[in-house]
Amino acid sequence: QVQLVESGGGLVQAGGSLRLSCAASGRILGINFMGWYRQAPGKQRELVAGIIGSGATNYADSVKGRFSISGDNAKNTVYLQMNSLKPEDTAVYYCNAILITDWQYPPTNYWGQGTQVTVSS
């Protein structure tokens, strides 16, 4: 059974920093994608940042230059370093991963349970 375990959320003042971690556990043969989405109250879930197996990354325009995503393939873990946080970054952040768990089947999409990030003004 594959699980994504997130950590690192919390309350921070505007201009501060937080680092989120997401560790995937279970029978994992390969990682196609790992990333972070967020969902604020009353809004749709949106992609914040992602990293694919080659190491290429992409970011939402709203976080470019402030957030940085990185991965540790040996630990099946992805990190999101969030700097210069703004109140509008307040949301529940969800880890997402597209993993290969069986060579006989296509990659499978997994979600973490979510971690709250609150930025006070």
Side-chain angles (χ1 to χ4, degrees), residues 1-6 21-25 33-39 44-49 78 92-99 108-115:
Q1 185 78 6
V2 171
Q3 284 188 318
L4 302 182
V5 179
E6 302 149 336
S21 299
C22 172
S25 63
F33 170 89
M34 289 191 79
W36 293 91
Y37 285 73
R38 67 186 180 187
Q39 187 167 20
Q44 289 189 332
R45 190 173 297 190
E46 62 174 354
L47 176 66
V48 177
V78 66
V92 178
Y93 284 69
Y94 296 92
C95 180
N96 174 250
I98 302 173
L99 306 174
T108 305
N109 197 35
Y110 295 91
W111 290 94
Q113 78 282 3
T115 185

Side-chain angles (χ1 to χ4, degrees), residues 61-77:
D61 288 343
S62 59
V63 306
K64 284 180 181 177
R66 300 188 298 121
F67 290 11
S68 177
I69 190 169
S70 60
D72 185 337
N73 287 340
K75 297 181 179 180
N76 293 333
T77 299

Side-chain angles (χ1 to χ4, degrees), residues 74-121:
K75 297 181 179 180
N76 293 333
T77 299
V78 66
Y79 306 96
L80 184 67
Q81 179 66 44
M82 304 186 293
N83 299 326
S84 302
L85 282 161
K86 303 175 181 180
E88 50 263 44
D89 293 318
T90 295
V92 178
Y93 284 69
Y94 296 92
C95 180
N96 174 250
I98 302 173
L99 306 174
I100 302 170
T101 58
D102 190 319
W103 295 119
Q104 297 184 11
Y105 298 99
T108 305
N109 197 35
Y110 295 91
W111 290 94
Q113 78 282 3
T115 185
Q116 177 70 45
V117 171
T118 302
V119 184
S120 63
S121 57

